[in-house]
Amino acid sequence: MIPERSAVSNVLITGITSCESRGVEALARSIIEQLNTEGPGGGDNVTVLTQTPVLDAESLAPTSARCVADPFVVSRSWQQMRPQESPAELAERREQLFAQTDLVIATGGDLHTSDYGVSTPYLRVLTAAQQRDIPTAMIGQSVGPFDDPADAEAWLAVASRCDLLTVRESVSLNYLVGKLGLPEHRVRLSSDPAFLLPAATGERTAAVLGPLGLAPEDPYLCLAPSQGITRFSTLEESQHAAALTRLATSLVRTRKMPVVLVPHCHDSRPHNDDRILAARIAEAAGMPEVMALPGALTASDYKGVLSQAELVISERLHAAIGALSGGAPAIAIGHSHKFNGVLAETYGHTVDVDGIHADVRAFAQNATVIGRIVNDTDATVLRTTLRQRLPLIADRARSDFAQINKLLGA
């Protein structure tokens, strides 16, 4: 039984880069809203460490969370979107934050891998908290693989001292226990917190789709392209965009439904801004049925659109999660084990992982992959399986917050 808490706690959330990515927004908002639900009265006092504090304060305003520039990780690529501070000023802010922190929660999905080169920097706040005997939790993680043994050792040092550690898929669980040697009792299988994100209302979703000429009863498909995915493969941007255009036009011709392009990341850095790629695909397709979703939409807005689609094909994992968590079948085009891991965990063992995930290199270079996606994906079977599995997946995510509540209650 979970002890009831009478006192409001001060919670620090780390692993947030920027809510420019609606996947990051989905993670942050889901965690904060669960804390507000589990906590006493109006919820806990939550502070979010981020690279874009002003933007994120606006994105997360409905949650009443406080957003501050991360004093532990200062990203050069976002330096124009945060205050300029000296090392002494950063150090002072770190101490001020810890003086009023009861728990540090690390999210971030897959920050702790060699793909992005930021795993060890994002451990700093956890290490510092543990040195001060402040409880720490890492939830809904995908971890590894690590190319550098030093990164693996640094991660293990922090993980072994966490009060709660959960992963969102079995691939990471097997890697941690089987490859890195983490004791099995130190880690638990859970789900991505974004499975708990509420979708926009039906009325709001209708208003979002209206400018595209779609009424609530109209069937449509969604394609969520990633402008940044080619940075993690050997693909040329033009090759990638051409493959996505072929996919979109083939879907329209074969499935007889419009394709809505969903730019899930509105990055201020062009190399990662999905709006650029979505516009490029819509123009290249030359078909009115292939159209990019416009506007500065929230993660919940996108979930409303994705969850009403007949089928979603996504290069952004959290766009896929937005669909899946809303009951819409989704398949992924990805570059790492996080994609097939999360989708395989969501659908369960009765669905062949090869039918719900394609590697982005094979997708762009092998024409048969597009044909398989367009012709062989059985959305009805996936939807039926998904609806049977969703209660378990959501319960796993909620169980993390039951454990967090126990930590704070203690």
Side-chain angles (χ1 to χ4, degrees), residues 298-323:
T298 68
S300 290
D301 288 334
Y302 282 128
K303 179 170 178 174
V305 171
L306 292 160
S307 61
Q308 290 188 19
E310 298 297 311
L311 175 67
V312 174
I313 301 144
S314 180
E315 293 185 321
R316 291 286 184 185
L317 180 58
H318 276 99
I321 290 173

Side-chain angles (χ1 to χ4, degrees), residues 11-12 14 98 101-106 125-126 129 134-138:
V11 179
L12 196 63
T14 180
F98 281 138
T101 295
D102 300 307
L103 173 70
V104 178
I105 298 176
V125 60
L126 295 164
I134 297 171
T136 54
M138 299 179 75

Side-chain angles (χ1 to χ4, degrees), residues 109-114 119 138 140-146 151-152 155-156 159 165-169 171-176 180 182 187 337-338:
D110 65 337
L111 281 177
H112 299 293
T113 171
S114 291
S119 175
M138 299 179 75
Q141 300 284 314
S142 285
V143 182
F146 291 113
D151 285 335
W155 189 90
L156 279 171
L165 172 62
T166 69
V167 294
R168 60 184 178 178
E169 30 79 18
V171 177
S172 288
L173 181 64
N174 295 335
Y175 174 74
L176 295 180
L180 297 190
L182 185 72
V187 58
H337 78 258
K338 68 177 181 179

Side-chain angles (χ1 to χ4, degrees), residues 239-303:
Q239 186 182 23
H240 174 234
L244 288 169
T245 304
R246 289 196 301 273
L247 173 60
T249 55
S250 296
L251 285 167
V252 171
R253 294 189 181 107
T254 303
R255 301 230 168 194
K256 310 302 181 186
M257 282 181 268
V259 172
V260 176
L261 300 167
V262 179
H264 209 243
C265 187
H266 294 203
D267 208 306
S268 55
R269 304 165 301 173
H271 73 262
N272 201 40
D273 189 347
D274 297 345
R275 293 170 295 185
I276 296 172
L277 181 56
R280 183 177 179 182
I281 295 165
E283 181 179 7
M287 303 173 71
E289 299 91 343
V290 178
M291 42 199 169
L293 200 58
L297 305 180
T298 68
S300 290
D301 288 334
Y302 282 128
K303 179 170 178 174

Side-chain angles (χ1 to χ4, degrees), residues 231-247:
R231 290 166 65 89
F232 308 105
S233 71
T234 55
L235 294 175
E236 296 291 332
E237 288 186 7
S238 58
Q239 186 182 23
H240 174 234
L244 288 169
T245 304
R246 289 196 301 273
L247 173 60

